[in-house]
Amino acid sequence: MRSATVRSPAKINLALAVGGVRPDGYHPVATIYQAVDLCDEVRATTQPSGDIDVTVTYDGRSPTETAKVPLGPENLAVRAATLLRERAGVSDGVSLAIRKVIPVSGGMAGGSADAAAALLACDLVWDLSTPKAWLVQLAGELGSDVPFALVGGTAMGTGRGDQVSPVLARGRYYWVLALAATGLSTPAVFAEYDRLNRDLVPPDPQIAPALMAALRAGDAAALGVALSNDLQDAAVSLRPELAHTLAVGEECGALGALVSGSGPTTAFLAGDEEHALDMSLALTRSGTCADVVQAVGPVGGAKPIGG
Ligand code: C5P
């Protein structure tokens, strides 16, 4: 039996611009992803029976709907293993053990991180040496955010978010993440976005030049001002209490505050580590969220960490 463990990061969308819904049900987006050091781990072990199965454990910091991670063929990591096996023409099975830290249905691409980790871990235990570009292509078939989890760092996402290219970014950014007790469904948030914007001519999704300039300069204060998320109003409409969490972060001097992706996690940019600690305490004391986690970005994409 062979085993490989891969660690894979959560993401924050520093900007998420959304266009009008396409005939296939997806929305064109222009987004800037940043990978942060809140990571899930997936251990793959070859399974002589030929089956693909999965177990999930939680480290206690993921208070969102943990019971909702499916353990059947619809699990994104299982789908990743199944897709790779099909395309590579192998018959081996694999047991996947997921250790979850990233909030479930939290808007931080936790399921996508697991899928990326499973692709890489299965590639190792099945000894396939699949070129990275092919893995990234398979990742795009699994979900819009999966390619970014393989690539990591700071990157632009276009198409439905799956066309990823690195962007020039300097600096190390300190984030405080306020986690909610229950998750939000991504399709539900996009549907609410459509409802709220039904009278608007769909815009062409664009990233503000000020955000790109802030990243190039490594200027956290300018980045904080430029953070933006077109899905924020939809997430707050479905979960009005997020407005209180955002207000607490803003009151304690966050350089920027926004809903992460489709939410309900909210992300606050701090000036330094000490500021992040102060904001964490204030958010915890406010009682407006279920848990608070600090994270640093950017970090690299999914990578093997052992057997
Ligand atoms: O690609 P992924 O499976 O993560 O997408 C989940 C759902 O989120 C889609 O079925 C769609 O409803 C919505 N979505 C979207 N536009 C995107 C990405 C996701 O409408 N660019």
Side-chain angles (χ1 to χ4, degrees):
M1 296 221 288
R2 286 163 58 96
S3 285
T5 303
V6 174
R7 182 178 290 161
S8 187
K11 59 82 182 165
I12 296 172
N13 300 82
L14 307 181
L16 177 52
V18 179
V21 65
R22 305 190 313 206
D24 66 359
Y26 282 90
H27 296 71
V29 302
T31 187
I32 302 294
Y33 294 109
Q34 182 167 97
V36 296
D37 65 347
L38 189 67
C39 296
D40 283 356
E41 286 175 15
V42 176
R43 182 167 199 251
T45 307
T46 48
Q47 172 63 268
S49 71
D51 292 343
I52 294 178
D53 57 59
V54 66
T55 55
V56 184
T57 55
Y58 304 97
D59 87 337
R61 285 215 314 231
S62 178
T64 39
E65 298 172 292
T66 48
K68 287 210 168 159
V69 173
L71 297 176
E74 68 278 32
N75 179 291
L76 212 48
V78 171
R79 283 182 46 210
T82 307
L83 182 66
L84 180 63
R85 181 166 77 166
E86 224 173 79
R87 296 295 163 81
V90 293
S91 54
D92 304 11
V94 71
S95 288
L96 301 169
I98 303 176
R99 189 173 148 242
K100 281 218 74 71
V101 172
I102 305 170
V104 179
S105 301
M108 299 196 71
S112 302
D114 300 345
L119 277 179
L120 215 52
C122 289
D123 185 65
L124 287 168
V125 295
W126 291 336
D127 211 5
L128 299 174
S129 302
T130 310
K132 178 123 180 216
W134 290 11
L135 285 181
V136 171
Q137 200 181 320
L138 291 182
E141 293 184 36
L142 292 162
S144 309
D145 295 336
V146 184
F148 175 69
L150 279 178
V151 171
T154 306
M156 161 107 67
T158 53
R160 53 187 177 85
D162 58 322
Q163 304 296 316
V164 176
S165 50
V167 300
L168 183 61
R170 291 194 181 83
R172 186 174 155 84
Y173 299 94
Y174 296 90
W175 296 96
V176 178
L177 304 166
L179 314 188
T182 49
L184 270 175
S185 138
T186 302
V189 175
F190 273 104
E192 181 67 359
Y193 172 85
D194 291 338
R195 196 185 69 78
L196 293 175
N197 293 287
R198 65 186 163 231
D199 298 329
L200 288 184
V201 178
D204 200 11
Q206 304 270 355
I207 301 297
L211 185 129
M212 304 303 281
L215 283 172
R216 275 196 304 274
D219 183 338
L223 179 66
V225 173
L227 296 173
S228 73
N229 180 359
D230 281 356
L231 291 181
Q232 179 155 315
D233 288 350
V236 174
S237 167
L238 295 176
R239 197 63 72 74
E241 57 269 35
L242 293 180
H244 303 303
T245 321
L246 288 166
V248 172
E250 278 160 5
E251 274 159 27
C252 48
L255 302 179
L258 84 175
V259 168
S260 171
S262 55
T265 304
T266 42
F268 303 91
L269 184 59
D272 55 28
E273 216 169 341
E274 204 183 322
H275 186 204
L277 187 60
D278 289 346
M279 276 204 287
S280 298
L281 293 173
L283 282 159
T284 304
R285 277 198 220 105
S286 75
T288 61
C289 53
D291 201 1
V292 180
V293 179
Q294 289 178 58
V296 173
V299 296
K303 72 160 187 287
I305 56 164

